Amino acid sequence: MPVYNMEIPGNDAALISAQRAGLVACSHCGRVYPPGTESCGRCGSGLDPDGRKSLQGVWAWLAAGILVYLPANIYPMLRTNTLLDSSESTIVGGAIELFHHGAYAVAAIVFVASILIPIGKFLAIGYLAMSLGRRSRMSVHHRHMLFEVVEFIGRWSMIDVFVVAILSALVHLGSVANVNPGIAAVSFALSVAFTMLSAQSLDPRLIWDADEEDR
Amino acid sequence: MTTELPADFAGKPLIACPTCDTLHVEPSVPTNHAACCRRCGRVLAAPRENAVRNVLALAVTSTILMTGAVFFPFIELQAAGLHNRASVLDAAMAFSQGIMAPLAIAVAFLIILIPTARLVAIIYTLLPLVQKRQPYRFAAHAFRLAERLRPWSMAEIFVLGVAVALVKVAGLATVSLGPAFWAFAVLVVVNVLQDNTMCRYTIWKSLETTRR
Ligand SMILES: [Zn+2]
Ligand SMILES: [Zn+2]
């Protein structure tokens, strides 16, 4: 697709942010208003008077997400009853079991979605929130890329909850085999939701403020 | 240090990149061109030819597929002469017993209700635009809702979940996929197409100019 050249106000060399120009911008549609405007005339979103959301929400949701992630790993995700025995499996246990059955690809999906991604997200959001407005070893462009990855990938952790739902709905074979959901499914689902909310509360414009300081 | 700038520049309003806040003069982008932020590279506007009409068509298709996907069985299982089938609704209701009931509601929202609500909101917003009429009341609210719900619409994740579940029970029983699974899989592809065709900036602008 051909590229349309965006025009910037003022002299062509200096990019300038709405905040530095003393204006407030709508974070939904981008329309810019004089300071003090309360809501966007184009899309109707409320405008934050400071032009930036605060970090309180990010930390609060992140703490909640980490807190409920712990029981998700301790309690069973699935309870399986077959003719011969009954067993309970945790998140890690489920992945290991798949691995022993030789289903390496699926074991890898489960391991990545329910262990690597959640922990990686906690670390990434914490790092981004702490490095805001500062120079850091990671450039602003890379930090923003990290943020996009967190936002994009975060939702996929919910796959484990859906697998539990599908198995519990499907495997009801009288006395032969039965699968029931375990309580960890609830705390895992909450953890994914809280972490998504934490990432959504992080205003990406705060990340780019550090770039402005360099000029 | 602040640099004084008026909210409109040489008579043209300004827009700021929602990602990095960099000011640009409001563009009038020709169709099939992409306008990107000068600092961070985010696509600010990428109008396509007949995009609104195409997005509307895709949304209607999705709604039909969704209806089919919810009620027909999507997976069937056979073992030791026993037989069981489950619909998408059954999967959501798997948690409905005991203290996990709120999770049943949440799952129903994530895989059925939110995707459907988004489709309805998009159709509501775009239908008058395609017919070149005034937008319906609260069209901006509806479109904003559709945008806000986007990360919470998880049909595609559910489809991958079905694949994982299949492997998990493969040793235990014979599993076959029902018509609803394929409807759901097509729905996911249609949704991706729809999200890629839709230029939010163009829709906001046309909502604004046709209003009043
Ligand atoms: Zn707006
Ligand atoms: Zn930008």
Side-chain angles (χ1 to χ4, degrees), chain B residues 134-186:
Chain B
Q134 267 204 350
Y136 294 132
R137 278 186 76 192
F138 307 119
H141 286 267
F143 191 59
R144 220 165 59 229
L145 183 74
E147 284 296 277
R148 194 159 292 174
L149 288 179
R150 191 139 70 106
W152 302 97
S153 165
M154 298 192 176
E156 74 275 26
I157 301 172
F158 183 76
V159 170
L160 191 63
V162 174
V164 173
L166 275 183
V167 177
K168 281 205 167 193
V169 288
L172 191 73
T174 321
V175 201
S176 53
L177 294 168
F181 176 79
W182 301 110
F184 231 77
V186 175

Side-chain angles (χ1 to χ4, degrees), chain A residues 1-2 4 6-7 10 16-21 30 32 41-45 52 144 155 170 208 211-212, chain B residues 2-3 9 13-16 19-21 23 25-26 32 34 38-40 48 84 144 151 153 156-157 208 211:
Chain A
M1 209 187 283
Y4 171 86
M6 289 294 282
E7 192 186 343
I16 166 172
S17 74
Q19 190 180 48
R20 177 159 299 186
V32 168
R42 173 168 289 166
C43 72
S45 305
R52 300 281 191 279
H144 181 246
R155 328 156 47 233
L170 194 63
W208 287 90
D211 191 42
E212 288 258 297
Chain B
T2 56
T3 316
F9 186 78
L14 296 179
I15 60 166
T19 298
C20 72
D21 210 28
L23 284 174
V25 175
E26 176 142 284
N32 296 324
R38 294 266 294 258
R39 192 197 300 272
C40 74
R48 310 268 180 96
N84 196 18
R144 220 165 59 229
S153 165
E156 74 275 26
I157 301 172
E208 187 185 45
R211 202 162 34 205

Side-chain angles (χ1 to χ4, degrees), chain B residues 96-155:
Chain B
S96 61
Q97 281 135 24
I99 52 166
M100 282 187 261
L103 186 57
I105 298 168
V107 170
F109 264 92
L110 295 175
I111 59 181
I112 305 168
L113 295 175
I114 290 180
T116 312
R118 282 197 73 220
L119 290 170
V120 172
I122 288 172
I123 294 172
Y124 182 87
T125 312
L126 299 187
L127 187 64
L129 293 183
V130 169
Q131 298 173 334
K132 306 259 183 271
R133 288 192 290 138
Q134 267 204 350
Y136 294 132
R137 278 186 76 192
F138 307 119
H141 286 267
F143 191 59
R144 220 165 59 229
L145 183 74
E147 284 296 277
R148 194 159 292 174
L149 288 179
R150 191 139 70 106
W152 302 97
S153 165
M154 298 192 176

